[in-house]
Amino acid sequence: MTTASIATAEFRAAGTDISERRRSGVSKGPLIDIAVVPELAAVEWAADATLRIGAAVTIAAVGANERIATSYPGIGAAALGLATPQVRHLATLGGNLAQRSRCWYFRNPHIACLKKGGSDCPSRGGNHLYGVAFDLGPCVAPHPSTMAAALLAYDASVVTDQRTLTIVKLFGDGSNGAADHALHPGEMIRSVALPAPLAGERALYQRAISRTHAEWPLAEICARAADRSCRLARHDGHGLGGGRKLTHRRVHDDCRDRS
């Protein structure tokens, strides 16, 4: 594979997102299958209680890890809440963060949009019922990553083969309507790094969905609290089939009784 083709190629791990896009014709071009080496599939705890989760660790493995559930309960609960058991056993943490928009205009191969080289966002003048709740840029499509909300609450960093990004920098401020994230062409997520848990902290993940299982959330939140301060990572929106509206929002607040 040439350098030019590598720059335009997409990475494939489990393929839960890209396989559907290629079947529909939305995504074309070369693929790079990720070889799962031990580093990518490892959950590693350091002596200072910080954590590194390899990008190829499955969502199911994150949800089933007892130490993650104890130290980062919001992350463990978010992993257990998304998609279906079948998807969670295949989908990877890196893939969940790097997946593409579920907007039905983007997923339609016959409709141009900003994310496919078009000049505007057809959802703005069309059916935008499931667009973003907070209008932050030219594209009103959401990013569908549940794990991003939980990782945002814990100040996680994403380590690629080129650099280290905070979750905030990975997903940006919405001003670039052509991109789902800030990864460069050919840049691959290798792991997620988490700081040590705070003493006495607690966390909660909740989602509201329109049916009991296997549904995109209408809204979801990961709330983390310690020492009278709160950190919220909130997704607001609606879900239908393969799309939902949400925005990654982080809120710092004072949890003291205001009565």
Side-chain angles (χ1 to χ4, degrees):
M1 184 176 287
T2 65
T3 302
S5 62
I6 290 175
T8 60
E10 290 191 87
F11 293 106
R12 178 171 61 187
T16 56
D17 173 33
I18 195 172
S19 296
E20 187 276 330
R21 286 188 279 114
R22 290 180 74 85
R23 281 196 300 269
S24 68
V26 170
S27 292
K28 302 176 182 179
L31 284 175
I32 299 176
D33 284 308
I34 299 172
V36 181
V37 297
E39 174 198 353
L40 295 178
V43 176
E44 298 179 338
W45 298 88
D48 59 359
T50 58
L51 173 63
R52 189 194 72 83
I53 306 175
V57 174
T58 66
I59 301 300
V62 173
N65 189 295
E66 293 183 1
R67 188 169 177 183
I68 291 178
T70 300
S71 301
Y72 309 100
I75 293 174
L80 291 174
L82 66 86
T84 65
Q86 294 89 340
V87 170
R88 292 195 295 270
H89 278 82
L90 288 175
T92 63
L93 179 58
N96 184 270
L97 297 174
Q99 64 183 300
R100 301 300 306 276
S101 169
R102 301 289 171 166
C103 173
W104 45 43
Y105 290 103
F106 170 74
R107 295 276 166 165
N108 189 323
H110 306 296
I111 298 177
C113 75
L114 291 170
K115 286 181 168 54
K116 295 184 290 186
S119 59
D120 61 6
C121 175
S123 185
R124 283 190 174 276
N127 190 337
H128 51 258
L129 178 63
Y130 303 105
V132 292
F134 296 90
D135 192 356
L136 302 177
C139 174
V140 297
H143 193 283
S145 176
T146 285
M147 296 308 298
L151 293 170
L152 180 64
Y154 286 94
D155 291 321
S157 296
V158 173
V159 181
T160 77
D161 54 357
Q162 301 178 23
R163 53 186 170 150
T164 298
L165 298 166
T166 64
I167 292 294
V168 173
K169 288 185 178 180
L170 176 64
F171 293 105
D173 60 3
S175 60
N176 184 0
D180 286 299
H181 45 64
L183 294 175
H184 298 148
E187 184 176 13
M188 189 181 82
I189 296 174
R190 298 197 67 85
S191 64
V192 170
L194 285 150
L198 301 175
E201 72 170 85
R202 294 176 295 168
L204 177 71
Y205 169 80
Q206 292 287 343
R207 59 169 38 199
I209 56 179
S210 58
R211 59 185 183 186
T212 57
H213 295 88
E215 180 63 286
W216 297 105
L218 301 170
E220 60 184 345
I221 183 170
C222 182
R224 177 187 175 211
D227 297 330
R228 293 187 175 182
S229 65
C230 289
R231 181 156 298 167
L232 311 179
R234 183 181 66 214
H235 282 178
D236 299 289
H238 299 286
L240 177 66
R244 61 174 172 171
K245 75 174 187 178
L246 59 82
T247 183
H248 299 114
R249 304 279 291 182
R250 182 167 61 185
V251 181
H252 297 274
D253 200 0
D254 188 338
C255 291
R256 289 174 294 181
D257 187 359
R258 295 188 178 87
S259 59

